[in-house]
Amino acid sequence: MTPLSYLLRFIEEDAPFGDVTSEAVIPEGTKARAVIIAKQDGIIAGVEEAKALFEHFGVKVDVKKRDGEEVGKGDVILELEGSARSILLVERTALNVMGRMSGIATEVRKLVEKVRAVNPRVRVAGTRKTLLKPIDKRAIIIGGGEPHRFSLSDAILIKDNHLALVPLEEAIRRAKAFSVYKVVEVEVETLEDALRAARAGADVVMLDNMSPEEIAETIEALKREGLRDRVKIEVSGGITPENIADYAKLGVDVISLGYLTHSVRNFDVSLEIIGKV
């Protein structure tokens, strides 16, 4: 689960000096029951995060739908009971987290199923194109995808801006010497550079912004040189839900999309007070 300390930052941002509306109009000690419901069909995520937030403020939580489950419009996800002020304090933050995470998980699940129908071995991955990594990465996992790197500390990914400063072969040599525990991935945009990266010992070669035809040619070239089995092939750039199946057919190992986090459509969930206790 996402660390509670991270989630509480959102509460602090939303109510730096308390929820003045609830404190003004709701008598102290008022207890209420509430439900969080899905307003559309999809994959629910962020349930554990919402539960942790409500429980931190003393609200009793009964989980009806767990992370990763399919839900339909109108399904009850959580039942809540406790201080009315606490429920309303957490409401928007919990819904924001669940809405974003469920939106990501729902889209990831769709793409994973589309890809697996073509090639069950291909993985769908996110990228670092997000400022909300803890919740976005967990949402990708809940949806059945690969989170890719959580941070710059996780793995070595040599990109074009690195190669503008250091030659490809030297960059790989230096990366390999730096640590035996870190995967070394190299981003390339041409068949020639893909071969160079594989020859130099890259563990993963990312084919960036290449057409399906160019990728197919590159994979065949790697096979001819006996290099294909030495490296994993990731493809990225220009991939959409509409064309992802075309890339999955090519025999690649990973398809990564920044779209999963930088263009997510929020999933609609709502909280309803259903009465006093």
Side-chain angles (χ1 to χ4, degrees), residues 81-244:
E81 183 176 316
S83 161
R85 288 184 178 184
S86 294
I87 291 173
L88 295 175
L89 171 69
V90 177
E91 174 185 5
R92 178 41 55 194
T93 296
L95 294 180
N96 284 348
V97 170
M98 291 180 68
R100 181 172 177 86
M101 290 182 69
S102 299
I104 292 171
T106 297
E107 189 63 20
V108 170
R109 183 70 59 84
K110 289 178 185 175
L111 296 187
V112 166
E113 290 176 352
K114 185 176 287 190
V115 163
R116 285 180 179 167
V118 175
N119 185 343
R121 294 175 298 175
V122 178
R123 305 290 189 96
V124 175
T127 72
R128 284 176 45 254
K129 292 180 179 178
T130 171
L131 287 175
L132 301 173
K133 285 192 284 289
I135 63 173
D136 286 359
K137 296 292 190 178
R138 199 171 106 77
I140 290 171
I141 294 169
I142 290 170
E146 289 280 339
H148 213 288
R149 295 185 298 169
F150 275 83
S151 72
L152 290 171
S153 305
D154 293 340
I156 295 171
L157 174 48
I158 301 169
K159 297 172 70 69
D160 55 351
N161 283 332
H162 300 106
L163 297 177
L165 301 168
V166 182
L168 188 150
E169 287 82 1
E170 181 185 346
I172 294 174
R173 178 184 61 77
R174 292 173 67 88
K176 288 285 189 178
F178 181 78
S179 173
V180 297
Y181 295 105
K182 298 293 185 184
V183 170
V184 176
E185 181 170 5
V186 184
E187 177 187 274
V188 301
E189 295 184 353
T190 67
L191 184 156
E192 292 75 17
D193 283 347
L195 290 173
R196 289 172 61 200
R199 290 174 191 142
D203 300 302
V204 184
V205 176
M206 178 193 290
L207 307 180
D208 189 42
N209 287 307
M210 294 173 68
S211 70
E213 294 75 21
E214 291 171 325
I215 292 168
E217 289 176 14
T218 300
I219 290 174
E220 284 304 310
L222 289 167
K223 287 179 179 177
R224 284 195 300 271
E225 291 204 19
L227 297 169
R228 175 63 181 97
D229 292 338
R230 289 195 210 170
V231 297
K232 292 200 178 295
I233 300 296
E234 177 178 344
V235 296
S236 190
I239 300 169
T240 67
E242 290 72 34
N243 66 19
I244 193 170

